[in-house]
Amino acid sequence: MKIRNILISGAAGFIGSHLCDKFLENSYHVIGVDNFLTGTPKNIEHLLEMENFEFIHHDITAPLELNSVDLILHFACPASPVDYLKFPLETMKVNSVGTLNMLEIAKKHDARYIFASTSEIYGDPTVHPQSESYWGNVNPIGPRSVYDEAKRFSEAISMSYFREQSLDMRIIRIFNTYGPRMKSNDGRVVPNFITQALNMENITVYGNGDQTRSFCYITDLIEGIFEIALTDNLKGEIMNLGNPEEYKIIDLAKIIIEKTSSESQIIYKSLPEDDPKQRCPDITKIKGLTGWQPKVSLKEGINLTIDYFKNK
Ligand code: NAD
Ligand code: UDP
């Protein structure tokens, strides 16, 4: 399939802006759409003068008319627990009405469509590591359900367009990703700990810190999405994307204290409701389909992210 024009929803966000960079570097024409709910114009200001970049300030829950689209990367949605708990209705709307609008554009233009899903659809998993065949363990009415269930709905409706409309649809389940352009106040663990450590503030570990996460550096994730977007035979595939190196949150805190040479102390705060106890992607499927695997270790990625926050 010949791909030239790419629509990226959530273009001014953390991942969306890196995706814009990647496709522009590879000479594609990128149409970025964002309403700046959780993203910032700063993330894309270096792109605005580029001939191949077009930006539309728009809320994708309203219809959007475009002349030509070959590929849609649907990434618009608050992603940090702090953000989606602050914007619960917006989160549910962008994953229902917003997703429907993106799917309709894909159908109209016969475009390839990629949905940014999440490891959160596995909830607090009872199967470890999580492979794509696991159905998850989600509280449908807890506070996090505004994100988890909304993403599950988006997956269901995207699958329906694949089954009923033969859309070239792919779902990527993204596991915790970090790196430059995350907001220092976005509430996710990596920017929180780095900002606290650099400011010599207490490091806030929620619960006893025994819960685990697996952290993927942004450049690895972008390479994986790029592969998935441009590989022809992935229609209808659901793929985990993340780094299977798994860490306890307490150990992440210690690594960040060491790497920043900080004198910050660790303090313990209450664990948010339904906070998953463990999370680690099984990436066998994506490796087999595309050969992709992450290259950046946590320690390397944390160093690069610390440099970013230091220079901000
Ligand atoms: P982010 O908050 O930095 O980016 C999301 C972007 O979407 C923001 O720029 C925001 O303004 C925009 N947006 C939100 N609602 C919109 C709307 N109605 N119309 C137009 N734009 C809208 O978050 P991120 O970390 O870059 O995440 C991007 C996507 O990846 C999200 O869909 C998220 O669920 C998914 N994801 C991210 C991670 C991660 O670790 N970063 C993990 C799993 C899934
Ligand atoms: N967390 C923490 N301190 C913080 C922020 C987060 O201990 O200041 C924990 C959080 O409870 C969770 C993990 O770190 O267990 C990852 O949280 P994050 O918000 O980054 O993403 P999640 O994986 O929960 O979506």
Side-chain angles (χ1 to χ4, degrees):
M1 181 182 171
K2 180 104 185 75
I3 291 178
R4 161 96 186 118
N5 296 311
I6 302 177
L7 172 66
I8 302 181
S9 77
F14 162 51
I15 299 177
S17 63
H18 285 283
L19 278 175
C20 291
D21 288 348
K22 178 74 181 177
F23 280 94
L24 287 165
E25 276 161 26
N26 285 276
S27 303
Y28 291 91
H29 178 250
V30 173
I31 307 159
V33 183
D34 207 294
N35 66 350
F36 302 126
L37 179 68
T38 55
T40 159
K42 267 196 170 339
N43 284 343
I44 47 162
E45 68 187 2
H46 61 292
L47 304 177
L48 294 176
E49 297 302 315
M50 289 181 73
E51 203 183 317
N52 272 344
F53 184 66
E54 188 184 332
F55 181 70
I56 307 175
H57 185 182
H58 177 80
D59 180 336
I60 62 152
T61 63
L64 179 65
E65 289 291 335
L66 295 170
N67 290 330
S68 173
V69 192
D70 308 309
L71 167 67
I72 298 178
L73 296 160
H74 175 25
F75 278 67
C77 173
S80 142
V82 168
D83 284 341
Y84 62 69
L85 295 174
K86 186 168 157 202
F87 299 115
L89 297 181
E90 290 85 347
T91 301
M92 299 202 82
K93 213 170 153 192
V94 75
N95 281 298
S96 48
V97 184
T99 297
L100 189 58
N101 284 337
M102 292 297 106
L103 285 161
E104 280 297 315
I105 296 173
K107 188 175 121 186
K108 182 171 166 190
H109 293 273
D110 198 18
R112 181 171 291 167
Y113 161 94
I114 295 182
F115 175 60
S117 189
T118 166
S119 50
E120 276 282 328
I121 65 100
Y122 299 120
D124 188 4
T126 54
V127 168
H128 197 73
Q130 295 79 54
S131 67
E132 293 84 353
S133 57
Y134 178 49
W135 289 0
N137 176 36
V138 171
N139 176 352
I141 52 166
R144 290 172 91 100
S145 66
V146 297
Y147 185 68
D148 305 13
E149 292 293 8
K151 287 286 187 182
R152 287 168 75 99
F153 176 81
S154 265
E155 284 203 6
I157 194 169
S158 301
M159 281 305 288
S160 168
Y161 270 71
F162 161 65
R163 290 198 188 97
E164 312 304 324
Q165 313 277 345
S166 265
L167 198 75
D168 183 350
M169 184 281 329
R170 294 114 193 255
I171 292 173
I172 308 177
R173 292 184 180 152
I174 301 170
F175 285 64
N176 297 61
T177 299
Y178 68 99
R181 297 198 193 140
M182 290 183 103
K183 293 176 292 184
S184 49
N185 65 348
D186 107 348
R188 285 180 274 194
V189 69
V190 171
N192 264 17
F193 285 1
I194 292 180
T195 309
Q196 290 163 345
L198 291 176
N199 294 335
M200 303 292 169
E201 293 162 4
N202 291 331
I203 307 276
T204 54
V205 168
Y206 302 158
N208 62 9
D210 271 352
Q211 71 272 33
T212 69
R213 292 294 186 274
S214 306
F215 297 99
C216 185
Y217 189 63
I218 184 69
T219 51
D220 279 337
L221 185 86
I222 296 295
E223 288 297 331
I225 298 169
F226 193 69
E227 280 293 321
I228 290 172
L230 300 179
T231 302
D232 275 335
N233 58 349
L234 299 180
K235 189 169 169 178
E237 295 291 352
I238 321 305
M239 292 154 281
N240 284 342
L241 214 47
N243 188 325
E245 267 187 56
E246 186 181 1
Y247 289 85
K248 288 184 178 177
I249 294 302
I250 186 71
D251 293 331
L252 175 72
K254 290 176 185 163
I255 290 169
I256 290 177
I257 289 173
E258 185 205 314
K259 297 275 173 202
T260 50
S261 308
S262 176
E263 284 161 26
S264 293
Q265 302 298 309
I266 292 174
I267 59 163
Y268 294 89
K269 293 198 154 187
S270 54
L271 194 65
E273 198 176 331
D274 296 333
D275 197 282
K277 284 183 270 311
Q278 53 182 359
R279 186 181 284 159
C280 179
D282 178 341
I283 57 167
T284 312
K285 183 170 178 182
I286 178 77
K287 261 194 203 167
L289 286 171
T290 68
W292 175 87
Q293 58 181 339
K295 298 191 188 92
V296 183
S297 70
L298 181 72
K299 290 189 178 169
E300 287 171 85
I302 287 291
N303 276 338
L304 294 165
T305 311
I306 291 170
D307 288 345
Y308 168 78
F309 280 105
K310 267 189 189 159
N311 295 327
K312 244 184 119 176

